[in-house]
């Protein structure tokens, strides 16, 4: 029974109970030759149905090799754009989450724009425009949010008096070869960096998607590649020297035993926000076919909802760090190694669960709903009632906000979870994030929190494809000053509302409990909602 695996500068420590639970899976995986096969990019590891996808999605295993070829280009680009020292990243999901973790952890300024909220977009557009370079990142080249950001910035530069011939210099486009965005970039006169098409978005941390914006922000990205390369040597090693094998086996074994939620907490030793990146990786890779592991990003190891009978607890931190308590798994090592470790562990957990960790069969549903709404108009909906600054949309038999929240909590049951989805400004309306801990305290269940539409590119797949035990709270807010999307018949506010409505349709179509709250005044409505959640928690404790 292996409790500790160390290699490549990174250590995974399991609790005795987690190690015992994982022991059989570790032995089975080792006997089947999975570590060596994974290191060798064997696309048959996840079964015949997954093989065609896996064979074009395993570039992440040694992406540090191809990414080194980018380093001279990145150095040249940074020198050429040296006067543009305000870096904005317009990207969603895998195009934005890793760069944000890298910049936060390594202390470099990077403005991440992964929203359609008009207020948040306006604030970004009004900040140091003359010194701004916009990195537009989209693997497919057709991401509606990112295209809208590109259009808005292009117009903003023109409105600021910049000649059209010079506007292209303020853009760096990162996309896959042959995407429609590549053609658009050439027409714009923008700088173009083509990414590795054999790496899926959520596995792309150390590809151009993770490296271009962070290099421009001043990160020494070669160091991240060095860390990943050192760790890569462990992928085929024996269990005691193979951290990703131990972690993946533990995650998979726990899920099979009924602990199919994993709480993710920073241990305070120097890596910031890795849970937000791992959330997409785990949820989108495993949440399908009615199976999956639900990642729950928590504020700390002792936060409400961080533990439970069906929760596997995990902490992440820098090398030499250690958690305050005794989590089921503690993962400590440098950031570049962390990325590769969690990617490999997730792929291994997918093998244990019997799913394809490289597809996302349900992601497009909400997108298609959104497109239809933009074409045909918003569906007609009326609130069941309005209380203060909160309009309540529900089919439940309730007449107060307190009753509505109590109904939602009850619907989560003893084995479910609550997902909070807020289509607001994650900076201007940041207090909304406090709702996660409040509802976790009130319900005693795992509670996830996501800013819309950001979460649609992360946990959205799990919501639709994973175990159907979720209860969903969607929060939208009044838009006091909208912003046009240049060249399109809709505004950012309309797009945001259509995305929220499209996701409501996808969830309602599955018969899941859904409570929609619309804040007619965002600040007052958020305060009112938090007060209601706290009352619910107090009532539970009595």
């Amino acid at each position: 029974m292996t409790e500790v695996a160390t290699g490549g500068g990174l250590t995974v420590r399991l609790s005795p109970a987690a190690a015992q639970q994982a022991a059989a899976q570790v032995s089975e995986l080792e006997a089947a030759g999975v570590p060596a096969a994974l290191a060798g990019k064997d696309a048959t590891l996840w079964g015949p149905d997954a093989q065609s996808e896996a064979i074009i999605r395993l570039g992440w295993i040694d992406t540090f090799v191809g990414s080194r070829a980018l380093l001279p280009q990145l150095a040249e680009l940074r020198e050429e754009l040296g006067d543009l020292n305000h870096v904005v990243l317009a990207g969603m999901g895998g195009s934005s989450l890793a760069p944000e973790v890298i910049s936060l952890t390594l202390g470099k300024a990077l403005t991440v724009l992964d929203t359609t909220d008009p207020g948040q977009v306006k604030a970004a557009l009004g900040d140091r425009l003359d010194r701004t370079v916009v990195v537009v990142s989209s693997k497919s080249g057709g991401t509606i949010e990112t295209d809208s950001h590109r259009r808005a910035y292009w117009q903003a530069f023109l409105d600021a008096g910049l000649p059209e011939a010079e506007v292209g210099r303020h853009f760096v486009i990162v996309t896959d070869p042959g995407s429609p965005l590549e053609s658009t970039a050439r027409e714009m006169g923008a700088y173009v960096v083509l990414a590795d098409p054999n790496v899926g978005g959520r596995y792309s941390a150390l590809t151009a998607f993770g490296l271009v914006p962070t290099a421009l922000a001043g990160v020494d990205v070669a160091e991240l590649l060095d860390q990943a390369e050192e760790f890569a040597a462990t992928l085929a090693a024996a269990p005691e020297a193979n951290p990703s094998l131990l972690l993946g086996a533990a995650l998979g074994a726990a899920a099979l035993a009924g602990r199919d939620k994993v709480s993710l907490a920073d241990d305070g030793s120097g890596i910031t926000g890795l849970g937000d990146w791992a959330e997409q990786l785990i949820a989108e890779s495993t949440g399908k076919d009615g199976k999956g592991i639900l990642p729950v990003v928590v504020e700390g190891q002792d936060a409400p909802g961080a533990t439970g009978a069906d929760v596997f607890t995990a902490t992440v931190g820098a090398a030499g760090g250690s958690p305050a308590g005794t989590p089921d798994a503690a993962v400590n090592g440098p950031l570049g190694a962390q990325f590769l470790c969690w990617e490999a562990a997730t792929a291994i957990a997918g093998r244990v669960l019997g799913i394809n960790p490289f597809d996302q069969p349900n992601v497009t549903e909400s997108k298609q709903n959104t497109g239809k709404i933009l074409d045909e108009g918003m569906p007609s909906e009326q609130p069941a009632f309005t209380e203060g600054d909160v309009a309540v949309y529900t089919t439940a038999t309730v007449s107060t906000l307190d009753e509505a929240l109590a109904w939602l909590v009850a619907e989560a049951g003893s084995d479910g979870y609550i997902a909070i989805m807020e289509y607001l400004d994650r900076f201007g309306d940041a207090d909304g994030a406090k709702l996660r801990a409040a509802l976790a305290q009130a319900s005693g269940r795992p509670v996830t929190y996501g800013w819309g539409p950001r979460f649609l590119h992360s946990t959205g797949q799990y919501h639709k494809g994973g175990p159907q035990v979720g209860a969903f709270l969607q929060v939208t807010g009044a838009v006091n000053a909208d912003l046009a999307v240049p060249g399109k018949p809709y505004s950012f506010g309309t797009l945001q509302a259509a995305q929220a409505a499209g996701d409501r349709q996808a969830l309602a179509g599955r018969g899941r409990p859904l409570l929609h709250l619309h804040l007619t005044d965002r600040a007052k409505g958020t305060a009112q909602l938090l007060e209601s959640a706290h009352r619910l928690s107090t009532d539970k404790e009595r």
Side-chain angles (χ1 to χ4, degrees), residues 145-161:
E145 299 95 337
T146 305
D147 179 65
S148 299
H149 300 149
R150 179 188 64 79
R151 292 169 178 271
Y153 263 102
W154 183 272
Q155 188 62 51
F157 286 125
L158 293 178
D159 291 346

Side-chain angles (χ1 to χ4, degrees), residues 90 101 112 141 148 168 192 203 207 228 239 266 328 338 358 423 462 497 499:
V101 175
V112 176
S148 299
V192 181
Y203 291 84
T207 71
D266 294 348
D328 293 307
Q338 288 274 3
F358 305 115
Y423 286 81
Y462 185 97
Q499 289 177 308

Side-chain angles (χ1 to χ4, degrees), residues 286-480:
T286 70
K288 59 200 69 169
D289 303 330
K291 306 175 185 178
I293 300 169
L294 176 70
V296 183
V297 181
V298 294
E299 299 79 7
Q301 298 171 56
D302 299 324
T307 60
D310 56 351
V311 179
F312 183 92
T313 58
T315 61
V316 294
S322 60
T326 313
D328 293 307
V331 185
N332 289 90
L335 188 55
Q338 288 274 3
F339 286 135
L340 186 52
C341 178
W342 283 95
E343 287 165 354
T346 299
I348 290 168
R351 157 91 179 201
V352 172
L353 295 178
I355 54 91
N356 174 3
F358 305 115
D359 69 349
Q360 46 282 332
N362 306 105
V363 160
T364 59
E365 183 177 348
S366 291
K367 295 179 185 178
Q368 291 168 346
N369 291 347
T370 296
K372 187 175 181 181
I373 291 168
L374 288 174
D375 289 340
E376 300 177 2
M378 289 289 293
S380 177
E381 299 172 293
Q382 295 298 321
F385 61 91
T386 298
E387 181 179 315
D389 295 286
V390 182
V392 179
Y393 296 78
T394 180
T395 57
T397 306
V398 294
S399 57
T400 68
L401 180 57
D402 287 8
E403 289 177 358
L405 288 181
W407 168 81
L408 187 75
V409 165
E411 287 294 314
S414 60
D415 63 345
Y417 67 94
I418 297 172
I420 304 171
M421 311 164 294
E422 293 212 324
Y423 286 81
L424 302 172
D425 180 336
R426 71 180 174 115
F427 302 113
D429 302 313
D431 278 355
K434 297 176 182 177
L435 189 59
R436 195 216 68 81
L439 274 188
Q441 185 71 41
S443 65
R445 298 302 304 147
V447 177
T448 66
Y449 185 92
W451 295 102
R454 171 182 166 120
F455 79 88
L456 290 174
H457 300 260
S458 178
T459 52
Q461 166 62 41
Y462 185 97
H463 293 168
K464 286 91 172 175
Q468 294 300 291
V469 294
F472 297 88
L473 172 60
Q474 186 187 90
V475 181
T476 57
V479 173
N480 296 322

